[in-house]
């Protein structure tokens, strides 16, 4: 950018590219790369907010050709342009008329684009732009998702190969198959992954957090013969490219060779034809082919009705456990001193004291129950889902076994059942299963959130309560907060907060509190009408949810839109009354909310003084809890300063 240019000009191209990707994504994707395209489009959409804030941050700022601004925007533009080109090509890909080499090129492009995007966002100079906290959170979430996608796609990619692949049109791109001594490996899929009402969480306090789980899935099927000599299926080895430093490749090559020498060759019949990974829960489909349960279930859930390997039509979608093969795999793993990749290695569950419990009998019984979930008989499905509800409530071991048996995707399908009894038991079963942290990722991966929201809107009261509790459980993962927030769950939760039973309101309040920890969900909650609902809870003499309402308000009060809505709803007088008459915890939260509302806001400070808050604040500063004293003292200082000429 010779001579420099304004941020408005500099962001024009990347912003237009993001909008182009959004338009492409809104039309929907189909075909072999549907999931990859959808995930890439979803990750790029939040970048529009980032670029708009950069554009508006300082229009007079000149970006020199050597600045970090220029470098970041240029790298991002290159990655966005490649992303747009890739989405168009991948969506048009037809496996019937295209070669396997062409498919592998597109797989490689997804890998390259993911690496480039993550790298460019990693160089974003936050300190040089006026980026809001909300947008920073969105960008970091996108980076987290891209990092996980990088691991699934494989790598690392050498910078030389990466730049060549991204700088050329797709039809002239670097061919990873010809430029490498070994072909680019397959797309590898991360197989990831409340509270039961008897174990209800308390609202308020420090929110629990769990690491976000990936939720990408590729529907690519490859022949196992191609990896007969591969020692580790998750490896993608890249050769030395002319011009790249030899030290970048030699250690990796030595590591691969070492693993080839030390690792046994996995028999191809033990590999899932979809993931090309050692199977842990092999199941047989109607054509007689065997697949890893989680991968074939996702294939079927994606609307596919043909066998991935033979392309024969599946006459029914029953998945029958291949117990004999599972036993052979366990024996082979034991013989080769290799742990089977499962929580149930060798049909055992590890106890807290380090010993193991044999669960082979439990596995067979649970497999039989899970199979009944797909029965054509309504009565069989009712009985099976009721039994699973009971089992999932009893113990962690049962939650592990049920997830391993593939119960989660089938239960998600039953959430939309027209039979209210099946629906009630299905949502409660998912609630109970989500208590085990690893199952949260599997539930998200199964696409459960839209169906849970549907139950929240139109289910029975019991189902709505358990749906709200499930949303709370799933939202404990930071990455899930934005996914759930964008799903339409917040308006449904606010409606339950208004009209639900006492237990339903408590469940809704808990879920809303946790979702609103994420800055981007605060505006959604305000627009859904949460402020009037919370005010009603504060003023209703028969309501026993003052603590919950104040806790949610204290989280919302830091958001500008929420702050304006709280003041407009005449909440300040109610908060001042609570300073006088509330319980110690109520007074503490009321003072904290008032401080957020009145800091740097002369109008609200004037209202506070006019309504006689000085006396209760002085009393609180002398005799309240430690936190209440700090908040009250700070408010009194703001009041004093506002009176100075």
């Amino acid at each position: 950018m010779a001579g420099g240019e304004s941020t408005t000009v500099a962001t024009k191209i990347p912003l237009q590219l993001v909008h182009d990707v959004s338009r492409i994504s809104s039309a929907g994707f189909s075909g072999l790369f549907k999931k990859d395209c959808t995930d890439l489009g979803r990750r790029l959409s939040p970048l529009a907010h980032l670029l708009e804030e950069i554009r508006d941050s300082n229009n007079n700022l000149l970006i020199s050709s050597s600045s970090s601004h220029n470098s970041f925007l240029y790298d991002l533009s290159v990655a966005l342009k490649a992303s747009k080109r890739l989405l168009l090509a991948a969506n048009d890909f037809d496996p019937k008329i295209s070669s396997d080499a062409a498919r592998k090129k597109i797989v490689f492009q997804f890998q390259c684009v993911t690496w480039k995007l993550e790298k460019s966002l990693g160089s974003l100079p936050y300190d040089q732009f006026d980026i809001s906290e909300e947008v920073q959170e969105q960008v970091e979430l996108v980076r987290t998702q891209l990092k996980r996608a990088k691991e699934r796609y494989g790598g690392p990619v050498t910078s030389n190969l990466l730049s060549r692949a991204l700088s050329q049109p797709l039809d002239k791109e670097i061919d990873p198959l010809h430029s490498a001594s070994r072909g680019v490996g397959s797309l590898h899929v991360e197989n990831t992954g409340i509270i039961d009402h008897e174990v209800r969480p308390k609202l308020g306090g420090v929110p629990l957090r769990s690491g976000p789980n990936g939720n990408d899935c590729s529907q690519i099927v490859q022949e196992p013969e191609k990896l007969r000599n591969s020692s580790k299926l998750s490896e993608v080895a890249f050769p030395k490219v002319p011009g790249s430093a030899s030290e970048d490749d030699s250690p990796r090559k030595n590591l691969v060779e070492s693993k080839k020498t030390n690792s046994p060759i996995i028999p191809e019949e033990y590999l899932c034809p979809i993931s090309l990974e050692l199977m842990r829960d092999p199941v047989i489909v109607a054509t007689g082919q065997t697949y890893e349960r989680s991968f074939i279930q996702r294939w079927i859930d994606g609307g596919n009705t043909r066998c991935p390997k033979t392309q024969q039509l599946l006459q029914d979608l029953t998945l029958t456990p291949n117990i004999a093969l599972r036993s052979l795999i366990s024996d082979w793993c034991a013989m080769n001193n290799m742990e089977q990749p499962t929580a149930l290695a060798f049909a055992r569950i590890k106890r807290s004291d380090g010993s193991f419990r044999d669960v082979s009998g439990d596995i067979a019984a649970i497999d039989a129950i899970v199979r009944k979930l797909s029965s054509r008989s309504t009565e069989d499905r009712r009985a099976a889902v009721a039994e699973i509800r009971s089992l999932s409530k009893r113990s962690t071991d049962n939650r592990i076994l049920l997830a391993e048996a593939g119960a989660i995707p089938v239960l998600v399908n039953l959430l939309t059942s027209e039979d209210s009894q099946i629906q009630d038991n299905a949502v409660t079963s998912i609630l109970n299963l989500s208590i085990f942290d690893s199952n949260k990722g599997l539930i998200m991966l199964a696409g459960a959130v839209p169906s849970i929201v549907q139950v929240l809107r139109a289910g029975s009261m019991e189902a709505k309560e358990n749906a709200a509790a499930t949303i709370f459980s799933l939202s404990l993962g930071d990455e899930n907060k934005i996914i759930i927030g964008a799903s339409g769950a917040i308006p449904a939760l606010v409606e339950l907060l208004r009209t639900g039973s006492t237990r339903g309101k408590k469940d809704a309040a808990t879920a809303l509190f946790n979702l609103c920890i994420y800055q981007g969900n605060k505006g959604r909650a305000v627009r859904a009408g949460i402020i009037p609902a919370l005010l009603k809870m504060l003023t209703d003499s028969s309501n026993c949810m003052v603590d919950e309402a104040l806790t949610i308000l204290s989280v919302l009060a830091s958001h500008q839109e929420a702050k304006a809505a709280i003041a407009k709803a005449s909440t300040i007088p109610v908060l001042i009354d609570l300073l006088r008459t509330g319980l110690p915890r109520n007074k503490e939260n009321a003072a904290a909310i008032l401080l957020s509302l009145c800091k740097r806001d002369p109008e609200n400070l004037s209202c506070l003084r006019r309504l006689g808050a000085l006396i209760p604040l002085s009393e609180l500063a002398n005799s309240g809890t430690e936190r209440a004293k700090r908040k009250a003292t700070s408010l009194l200082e703001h009041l004093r300063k506002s009176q100075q000429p």
Side-chain angles (χ1 to χ4, degrees):
M1 301 179 190
E5 60 182 335
S6 72
T7 52
T8 301
V9 176
T11 56
K12 183 177 180 180
I13 291 176
L15 188 55
Q16 183 59 52
L17 288 167
V18 172
H19 290 323
D20 289 347
V21 168
S22 296
R23 281 194 294 272
I24 295 169
S25 300
S26 64
F29 297 103
S30 60
L32 189 64
F33 295 102
K34 176 181 178 180
K35 181 64 176 174
D36 300 273
C37 291
T38 302
D39 289 335
L40 180 57
R42 174 171 50 80
R43 292 180 185 122
L44 294 181
S45 294
L47 299 184
H49 304 298
L50 168 68
L51 291 165
E52 287 166 356
E53 289 205 356
I54 292 175
R55 178 194 62 194
D56 299 337
S57 62
N58 188 349
N59 281 331
N60 296 320
L61 176 67
L62 291 181
I63 304 179
S64 69
S65 58
S66 60
S67 72
S68 58
H69 309 76
N70 185 5
S71 175
F72 162 68
L73 291 170
Y74 174 78
D75 288 345
L76 184 61
S77 296
V78 170
L80 289 172
K81 186 176 181 181
S83 300
K84 176 184 173 181
R85 192 172 63 226
L86 174 59
L87 290 173
L88 293 170
N91 194 44
D92 290 339
F93 181 83
D94 187 346
K96 295 179 181 178
I97 62 176
S98 301
S99 66
D100 187 58
R103 176 187 59 75
K104 288 186 177 180
K105 284 184 182 182
I106 291 182
V107 173
F108 179 64
Q109 284 290 297
F110 273 110
Q111 180 188 16
C112 291
V113 163
T114 302
W115 275 79
K116 185 64 176 177
L117 284 167
E118 196 278 327
K119 183 179 179 182
S120 63
L121 291 177
S123 64
L124 171 58
Y126 284 119
D127 56 331
Q128 297 178 37
F129 294 122
D130 187 18
I131 307 299
S132 67
E133 180 183 344
E134 178 179 348
V135 171
Q136 287 189 42
E137 288 179 357
Q138 290 177 341
V139 173
E140 289 308 308
L141 178 60
V142 170
R143 281 196 67 201
T144 300
Q145 294 170 337
L146 289 168
K147 286 178 182 177
R148 284 182 169 76
K150 278 167 50 178
E151 295 170 3
R152 287 189 291 276
Y153 283 129
V157 183
T158 62
S159 59
N160 186 295
L161 189 60
L162 177 63
S163 61
R164 290 167 64 197
L166 289 177
S167 63
Q168 301 180 45
L170 199 58
D171 57 354
K172 296 180 181 179
E173 72 191 17
I174 264 311
D175 186 345
L177 302 176
H178 295 158
S179 61
S181 61
R182 287 180 61 194
V184 174
S186 63
L187 210 61
H188 296 287
V189 184
E190 179 182 353
N191 186 20
T192 60
I194 182 162
I195 302 291
D196 192 355
H197 279 94
E198 283 73 9
V199 195
R200 291 191 169 275
K202 300 268 185 190
L203 184 61
V206 179
L208 298 174
R209 294 176 180 267
S210 64
N213 294 299
N215 60 351
D216 293 331
C217 174
S218 170
Q219 296 177 347
I220 292 178
V221 181
Q222 298 191 18
E223 294 297 325
E225 289 85 346
K226 295 174 184 176
L227 284 178
R228 278 180 178 168
N229 298 321
S230 176
S231 62
K232 187 174 181 182
L233 299 175
S234 59
E235 291 175 355
V236 178
F238 287 88
K240 188 170 90 171
V241 178
S244 62
S246 59
E247 55 267 29
D248 289 343
D249 297 310
S250 298
R252 184 163 59 251
K253 182 178 179 182
N254 292 339
L255 178 62
V256 172
E257 293 301 323
S258 172
K259 289 183 177 179
K260 281 184 179 180
T261 303
N262 299 329
S263 300
I265 297 174
I266 301 173
E268 64 185 53
E269 60 270 23
Y270 296 171
L271 306 177
C272 172
I274 297 177
S275 67
L276 290 179
E277 295 176 352
L278 184 65
M279 288 185 280
R280 60 178 185 170
D281 186 10
V283 294
I284 304 169
V285 298
T287 60
Q289 298 294 325
T290 296
Y291 299 94
E292 172 63 35
R293 182 189 293 275
S294 60
F295 289 101
I296 189 62
Q297 186 67 61
R298 273 174 266 173
W299 173 269
I300 292 170
D301 291 346
N304 299 288
T305 57
R306 293 185 179 275
C307 174
K309 191 169 182 180
T310 68
Q311 288 302 302
Q312 291 176 273
L313 187 66
L314 296 171
Q315 297 300 325
D316 66 72
L317 304 180
T318 302
L319 303 180
T320 305
N322 194 333
I323 297 174
L325 181 58
R326 183 162 62 189
S327 177
L328 287 172
I329 292 173
S330 293
D331 291 344
W332 182 87
C333 288
M335 187 182 304
N336 290 277
N337 198 28
M338 178 185 291
E339 186 173 358
Q340 193 174 350
T342 172
L344 303 178
F346 317 123
R348 299 180 301 170
I349 287 182
K350 194 172 185 178
R351 296 190 178 102
S352 57
D353 62 1
S355 62
F356 288 88
R357 181 173 78 84
D358 183 274
V359 291
S360 53
D362 296 341
I363 289 173
I366 283 177
D367 280 345
I369 296 170
V370 171
R371 284 200 299 274
K372 287 184 180 179
L373 288 176
S374 302
S375 170
R376 295 179 181 178
S377 165
T378 302
E379 287 303 319
D380 283 351
R381 293 199 302 276
R382 280 180 183 167
V385 74
E387 181 65 17
I388 286 175
R389 174 178 179 170
S390 176
L391 287 170
S392 63
K393 179 179 177 180
R394 290 179 200 167
S395 70
T396 298
D397 286 358
N398 285 345
R399 294 171 196 129
I400 295 171
L401 291 170
L402 285 164
E404 290 289 328
I408 288 172
V410 192
L411 288 169
V412 169
N413 289 337
L414 293 178
L415 289 174
T416 54
S417 171
E418 294 180 358
D419 186 297
S420 60
Q421 186 177 339
I422 290 177
Q423 186 184 72
D424 289 356
N425 285 330
V427 72
T428 309
S429 297
I430 292 174
L431 167 65
N432 294 339
L433 288 170
S434 71
I435 297 173
F436 183 61
D437 278 347
S438 295
N439 288 346
K440 289 180 172 63
L442 296 175
I443 293 168
M444 296 297 293
L445 189 62
V449 173
S451 297
I452 294 172
V453 173
Q454 184 177 331
V455 174
L456 191 58
R457 288 177 179 145
S460 67
M461 184 52 68
E462 180 188 9
K464 288 181 178 180
E465 293 164 357
N466 289 337
T470 306
I471 287 174
F472 165 74
S473 176
L474 298 176
S475 68
L476 291 174
D478 289 346
E479 184 175 341
N480 295 343
K481 287 181 173 65
I482 187 170
I483 296 171
I484 295 171
S487 71
I490 289 175
L493 288 168
V494 171
E495 182 60 26
L496 184 61
L497 192 66
R498 289 196 197 102
T499 62
S501 63
T502 300
R503 194 172 83 170
K505 289 180 178 179
K506 287 184 178 292
D507 286 327
T510 308
L512 285 165
F513 166 77
N514 207 50
L515 287 171
C516 289
I517 291 171
Y518 170 64
Q519 191 77 359
N521 287 333
K522 294 176 182 179
R524 290 189 178 104
V526 172
R527 291 186 289 275
I530 193 173
I531 303 302
L534 295 175
L535 184 59
K536 182 179 179 182
M537 291 163 62
L538 291 177
T539 56
D540 187 350
S541 58
S542 63
N543 200 308
C544 57
M545 293 182 61
V546 173
D547 279 347
E548 288 87 346
L550 287 171
T551 306
I552 297 172
L553 280 173
S554 66
V555 171
L556 292 173
S558 62
H559 188 270
Q560 196 59 38
E561 186 178 352
K563 179 179 174 180
I566 293 170
K568 187 177 180 181
S570 300
T571 312
I572 291 178
V574 178
L575 294 172
I576 293 174
D577 284 341
L578 285 170
L579 290 178
R580 297 188 182 102
T581 63
L583 297 173
R585 178 67 182 274
N586 298 157
K587 292 180 178 181
E588 178 182 311
N589 281 328
I593 297 165
L594 286 170
L595 180 59
S596 294
L597 294 177
C598 297
K599 193 186 301 182
R600 293 186 294 276
D601 194 315
E603 187 175 341
N604 286 345
L605 273 173
S606 177
C607 179
L608 201 66
R609 186 185 303 106
R610 190 170 60 252
L611 293 172
L614 190 61
I615 294 175
L617 282 172
S618 299
E619 292 175 352
L620 194 61
N622 290 324
S623 59
T625 64
E626 287 304 313
R627 178 170 176 257
K629 287 178 180 178
R630 291 197 306 272
K631 301 297 181 182
T633 301
S634 183
L635 261 175
L636 289 169
E637 182 64 18
H638 282 290
L639 283 169
R640 183 186 63 78
K641 288 181 178 178
S642 68
Q643 288 181 309
Q644 293 177 350

